[in-house]
Amino acid sequence: MSKRTAHRRRTAGVALALAGALVLSACSGGGGGGEPEGEDSAGPEQSAAITFGDEAASTGPAEEVPGATPGGTVNVLQETAPDHLDPAQVYVSHESNITRLLHRGLTAVRLDNEGNYSVLGDLATDAGQVSDEGRTWTYTLKEDIYFNDGSPITSADIRHSVERLFADFITQGPSYLQRWLANEPETYRELLPDGPYGGEHLPDSVLETPDERTVIFHFEQPQNDLPYALSMPGYAVVSAEGDTQEAYDQEPMTSGPYQIEEFRPGRSMTLTRNEYWEAASDPARNAYPDRYEITFGHTREDTTARLMADNGENQTTVTFNNGLDAGQGPAVVEDPQYQDRLVDGYQPYVWSLAINQQTVTDRRIREAIALAVPLNGVRAAYGGALGGEYAGSLISPLLPGREDDYDPFGKVANPQGDIAGARALLEEADAVGYELNYVHHTAPEDQQAAIAVENALEEAGFDVNRSEVPPETYYDTIGVVDSGFDIYRSSWGADWLSGSTVVPPQYDGRQIADGASNYAHLDDEHVNSEIDRILLIEDPDQAATEWFELSKYVVEDAVASVPVIYYRQTMLHGSLIGGAVFNDDVGTIDMQRLYVIQDGS
């Protein structure tokens, strides 16, 4: 298999084909890097439907990676340390990529040696048994599944993991499952206001656990994407006995192949083997290394320089999130000595600028922002063609249903921005000098992009007040409804291959709340009603088309967000790292296949 992007193909042994698109473990994230071919390289292919695995496909151990050898330590260079380790609080990419090594859920997504992707049973024996036209899903737990203290994982732990999602302190993770169970998206917490901590439980009409190995979900509406949703790190299992509520976020029990030996927030994390993990029960993880040493605070420049040097510990080093930096990246991808150590692909993230509808209420002013934002200036901060492709849509080109030539404001054709057009709109609105409070985070590329945006907006006639916050707390900051900010960068990727994981979580007006992902605070009757209508469409092709049409309304009519770039990612790894391939499903290197090349191997 080539180290270039592995596009999805159908697999055998499947119970049901998914009506949708690419999963991204953490929907808010960001990339950098790209395909070595540069500006003229072929664009990403839209992904095919991904299949759900039956019991045979879901049996461990995971397929062996050719040439892999167990043992050794993998060093990981990361820019941003995780703020959350409780799986229910994990949504953004830099946290998801680490927690995939620690936690298991009912299902998991697996990339095989042929480049095929499928959703398999992880803790469950298969991807789920569906009945009642998608309204009822039954899962049977495997035997020999344990937490890292040796306690067995039972249906009581799954029930507890689901019920605690309704507690008030769970604010940062995905909310698909709990909204589906409640069938009341905007008030889902009322189904179990305190979670399980007050002694109450979800009724059997919603969630049944009739014995230690059986879990049954009941929904009022068909939820045919459930197996894919359950594969998200945010729905991994939490121990009912070991749950320390808020404190679980820093010292969680683990169910995956690794456990946290030491975590120094902002500095480092050491992962060692969970002796109670059974490879025979796990079809998705190879877990070849004995140990992961993860350090934080590494910029793309630092990461690229270390991996180019390829000396000492750098030989056994990777990164999960840091693409090549803009300065050295072009030389690296053109130098033959690095070709065997490059992993690259398109990510499903879209860099966009959210516009706060509650503070910037005049559509003409929002359109002026959209016209002024320089796509080329932002892309240059991420490495030019190495970092991404100009975006006209909020939906990644990897997803089905997208119109390839969509360019609503002519920004893709003229990526420098339309300063004159923006100023004309401000003059029409009598708003020259309009004050905008702009927040971004402190990563170097985001700072550079923010300067380009600020300069263009001020040239158009805005007065920009720019604020910075650390990456670790960035999404917590912009997730506050009354934050006082008017515009902010959001990098959103589909949680699985469907526009249903792009439009509703970002633009459903009934999901405006602290910690939610409607960063634009858009509450539009047309958008809300269309979301309800499209969610009931059974045909995946029709649904994909309808989601794209609704995303066009968000961009053109509501002007709630400005699409800027589709991310690409090129990553370098050390010469003694084996099994390194790009995983479209997580938008980065596949951490489950990595191994250390031993002496003589």
Side-chain angles (χ1 to χ4, degrees):
M1 175 181 168
S2 166
K3 285 191 177 183
R4 300 289 180 244
T5 302
H7 295 291
R8 291 173 164 75
R9 294 182 283 273
R10 289 188 177 272
T11 55
V14 165
L16 180 66
L18 180 64
L22 178 65
V23 121
L24 203 57
S25 65
C27 62
S28 295
E35 297 202 355
E37 288 83 346
E39 194 79 60
D40 296 327
S41 62
E45 297 177 9
Q46 289 187 8
S47 299
I50 297 175
T51 51
F52 294 167
D54 60 13
E55 186 170 355
S58 302
T59 301
E63 178 187 36
E64 290 289 335
V65 174
T69 51
T73 297
V74 170
N75 304 293
V76 185
L77 305 179
Q78 293 287 93
E79 185 165 16
T80 306
D83 199 38
H84 302 287
L85 294 171
D86 180 339
Q89 299 276 51
V90 169
Y91 210 175
V92 294
S93 62
H94 68 277
E95 294 173 347
S96 293
N97 293 335
I98 291 174
T99 56
R100 290 178 189 280
L101 298 169
L102 301 173
H103 300 301
R104 299 176 66 181
L106 287 174
T107 64
V109 179
R110 172 68 180 177
L111 167 63
D112 69 18
N113 291 335
E114 302 302 318
N116 303 314
Y117 293 78
S118 54
V119 181
L120 307 175
D122 186 2
L123 295 174
T125 56
D126 56 27
Q129 297 297 313
V130 62
S131 59
D132 192 23
E133 298 181 328
R135 294 178 177 84
T136 299
W137 285 87
T138 301
Y139 289 90
T140 302
L141 296 182
K142 295 174 180 174
E143 298 177 347
D144 299 323
I145 50 177
Y146 306 94
F147 290 106
N148 65 315
D149 68 345
S151 59
I153 297 171
T154 71
S155 62
D157 297 300
I158 302 299
R159 173 180 280 277
H160 182 80
S161 302
V162 173
E163 291 178 338
R164 71 193 296 272
L165 297 170
F166 294 85
D168 286 342
F169 71 89
I170 301 297
T171 60
Q172 297 301 315
S175 60
Y176 297 106
L177 178 60
Q178 47 271 52
R179 294 178 190 279
W180 293 344
L181 289 170
N183 200 40
E184 292 290 341
E186 64 274 26
T187 58
Y188 71 88
R189 291 188 193 274
E190 294 178 6
L191 184 62
L192 194 63
D194 298 317
Y197 303 110
E200 299 295 323
H201 296 282
L202 293 172
D204 283 351
S205 60
V206 173
L207 177 64
E208 286 186 83
T209 50
D211 56 54
E212 288 192 346
R213 294 184 58 203
T214 304
V215 179
I216 306 171
F217 295 97
H218 298 284
F219 304 101
E220 291 190 31
Q221 300 293 335
Q223 302 298 346
N224 290 319
D225 285 358
L226 180 66
Y228 220 149
L230 291 176
S231 73
M232 298 172 65
Y235 292 131
V237 66
V238 169
S239 168
E241 291 297 321
D243 183 7
T244 53
Q245 300 184 44
E246 288 93 337
Y248 201 81
D249 211 13
Q250 294 303 310
E251 295 187 23
M253 295 175 64
T254 68
S255 52
Y258 299 96
Q259 61 186 358
I260 302 170
E261 180 177 278
E262 182 183 32
F263 178 36
R264 296 189 295 171
R267 299 177 63 187
S268 65
M269 178 183 289
T270 298
L271 307 183
T272 56
R273 287 195 179 277
N274 169 13
E275 63 177 303
Y276 295 102
W277 172 77
E278 298 281 352
S281 76
D282 196 329
R285 302 166 186 83
N286 295 101
Y288 293 117
D290 288 332
R291 189 180 189 93
Y292 281 85
E293 293 286 356
I294 307 171
T295 52
F296 308 107
H298 298 281
T299 63
R300 285 179 171 84
E301 289 80 4
D302 175 52
T303 303
T304 303
R306 289 171 184 257
L307 292 172
M308 289 174 66
D310 196 42
N311 53 7
E313 290 186 349
N314 293 324
Q315 292 181 302
T316 55
T317 295
V318 299
T319 178
F320 294 157
N321 288 82
N322 291 356
L324 295 175
D325 77 89
Q328 300 176 97
V332 170
V333 299
E334 293 174 3
D335 192 328
Q337 69 172 308
Y338 301 116
Q339 293 306 302
D340 291 340
R341 297 197 285 122
L342 288 172
V343 175
D344 65 274
Y346 276 81
Q347 297 184 305
Y349 297 114
V350 179
W351 196 111
S352 60
L353 192 71
I355 305 175
N356 189 337
Q357 304 284 292
Q358 294 182 353
T359 59
V360 187
T361 56
D362 190 319
R363 185 197 177 281
R364 294 169 296 181
I365 297 174
R366 299 197 299 272
E367 185 173 345
I369 295 171
L371 289 178
V373 171
L375 275 56
N376 58 353
V378 173
R379 189 173 77 159
Y382 289 85
L386 192 69
E389 178 181 308
Y390 296 136
S393 167
L394 296 169
I395 291 181
S396 162
L398 288 170
L399 270 63
R402 176 180 172 274
E403 297 175 11
D404 291 339
D405 298 326
Y406 180 63
D407 187 13
F409 297 113
K411 301 287 295 297
V412 175
N414 298 287
Q416 72 279 3
D418 183 358
I419 300 300
R423 189 171 187 90
L425 283 170
L426 286 182
E427 291 174 349
E428 178 185 326
D430 193 23
V432 174
Y434 189 94
E435 187 173 300
L436 287 174
N437 295 316
Y438 177 19
V439 63
H440 60 92
H441 64 61
T442 55
E445 63 279 358
D446 210 48
Q447 289 179 317
Q448 184 180 339
I451 292 171
V453 171
E454 177 187 29
N455 290 342
L457 289 173
E458 292 200 330
E459 186 179 354
F462 288 98
D463 181 10
V464 180
N465 301 315
R466 188 160 56 86
S467 302
E468 299 179 347
V469 297
E472 293 88 345
T473 57
Y474 180 71
Y475 281 96
D476 292 338
T477 299
I478 68 172
V480 175
V481 175
D482 296 325
S483 65
F485 297 113
D486 302 309
I487 53 175
Y488 17 75
R489 187 268 259 177
S490 170
S491 296
W492 188 272
D495 288 310
W496 59 87
L497 280 176
S498 173
S500 67
T501 69
V502 176
V503 179
Q506 290 191 96
Y507 303 109
D508 189 331
R510 298 157 294 185
Q511 296 190 31
I512 298 174
D514 289 347
S517 303
N518 188 338
Y519 302 122
H521 308 148
L522 176 66
D523 188 5
D524 183 289
E525 183 178 346
H526 173 73
V527 173
N528 296 346
S529 62
E530 281 294 276
I531 286 172
D532 292 341
R533 181 184 69 82
I534 300 170
L535 283 171
L536 298 178
I537 295 175
E538 296 182 3
D539 180 80
D541 293 329
Q542 180 187 352
T545 299
E546 297 279 10
W547 285 126
F548 192 80
E549 285 298 316
L550 184 53
S551 77
K552 289 164 64 174
Y553 176 90
V554 171
V555 172
E556 297 179 53
D557 295 88
V559 198
S561 193
V562 185
V564 180
I565 58 172
Y566 305 123
Y567 282 108
R568 295 160 70 176
Q569 180 88 306
T570 296
M571 315 172 82
L572 191 62
H573 61 80
S575 59
L576 294 183
I577 292 292
V581 295
F582 194 89
N583 185 314
D584 289 348
D585 193 60
V586 296
T588 186
I589 197 168
D590 191 333
M591 63 285 299
Q592 309 295 1
R593 301 171 60 89
L594 297 176
Y595 64 91
V596 176
I597 299 173
Q598 310 291 333
D599 291 342
S601 61

